[in-house]
Amino acid sequence: MPQNSAVPSFAEMLAACHVSAVHLEMRDAYGIAAEAAEFEAWKAGDDGSRYDRTGRRRAWLDLVRETVGRGVVMRRARIVSEPVSEYIKYEHAGTPLNIEAGESVRWLPRRRASDIALPGNDFWLFDERLVRFNHFTGDGASGGPEVTDDPAVARLCTSAFETVWQRATPHADFKV
C-alpha cells in the first residue's frame, strides 16, 4: 500500500494482522479529545475511570482481547522524559487494563534512547511489514494517520521498536 492512499481503519488493519502488532509512543502528552474529560477528572483526583472496563476504553480492551486471542502478539513501548509529565502519570495509571487485556507494555526513559534511530512519529507496525504513523498537532491532537508498506520504513520501525523494547522497563517495574 503506497503512502497517502486511502487509510483503512485501525480495526481493519489489526484484523488483517497475523503475527505481531507493536506500538511506539514518543510524546510526553497527547491532547486526544475523547479522553479530555477523563484526564481532567484524573488530575482532580478521580482515577476511577482508569479502571473502568465498561466505559470509554471497553472497545479498545475488547479489540485487544480478540486480537491476542487469535494469536497476535501485541506490544507497546513508551519513550518518556523524566520526571514524567502529568499525562504520562495518567497513562501509567491506566496501563494495567491494557496488560489485563493482553498487551505487553514497557517504558524507556528518553535519556536511554539518545542513540536509537527513531522515526519522527509514533507508529503501529503490523507483522513487521505495514506501518501506520500517527501524526499529531503541536498541542497533541490527532493530525491523522499515514500508512506505508515501504520495506525500508518497515525495517526502520522494526529496528527502532525492538531496540527500545530491549532497553525498556516492564510496566510492573517502572515507577512514575
Side-chain angles (χ1 to χ4, degrees):
M1 177 180 302
Q3 289 179 327
N4 300 324
S5 64
V7 177
S9 74
F10 179 81
E12 291 170 324
M13 294 180 76
L14 200 53
C17 185
H18 301 289
V19 179
S20 66
V22 301
H23 185 36
L24 183 60
E25 297 178 9
M26 298 181 281
R27 295 180 59 95
D28 287 320
Y30 294 86
I32 307 302
E35 66 184 23
E38 183 179 298
F39 182 41
E40 289 304 315
W42 179 85
K43 288 192 298 187
D46 176 8
D47 68 347
S49 64
R50 300 305 294 152
Y51 301 97
D52 182 1
R53 291 165 182 82
T54 62
R56 180 186 68 80
R57 296 183 68 203
R58 181 179 180 177
W60 172 251
L61 299 171
D62 288 347
L63 184 60
V64 171
R65 279 190 284 277
E66 185 277 324
T67 302
V68 172
R70 58 185 175 80
V72 175
V73 174
M74 292 185 71
R75 297 182 293 159
R76 178 187 305 255
R78 293 175 171 140
I79 298 174
V80 297
S81 299
E82 290 183 310
V84 298
S85 68
E86 284 299 300
Y87 186 87
I88 294 301
K89 289 177 185 176
Y90 161 77
E91 275 193 327
H92 190 272
T95 296
L97 284 185
N98 294 62
I99 293 168
E100 179 183 295
E103 274 190 88
S104 294
V105 180
R106 292 187 181 183
W107 304 81
L108 182 66
R110 193 170 310 282
R111 287 182 173 275
R112 297 191 54 223
S114 296
D115 63 342
I116 302 172
L118 298 167
N121 297 287
D122 290 11
F123 64 86
W124 277 92
L125 174 65
F126 303 96
D127 294 335
E128 295 186 1
R129 64 170 189 77
L130 187 62
V131 180
R132 180 185 181 107
F133 287 108
N134 296 325
H135 296 289
F136 294 93
T137 64
D139 63 1
S142 176
E146 175 184 0
V147 174
T148 182
D149 63 357
D150 181 319
V153 175
R155 282 191 301 274
L156 169 66
C157 291
T158 298
S159 175
F161 184 86
E162 294 303 332
T163 302
V164 168
W165 189 258
Q166 290 304 314
R167 291 184 190 183
T169 303
H171 175 76
D173 298 327
F174 187 77
K175 307 303 177 211
V176 295

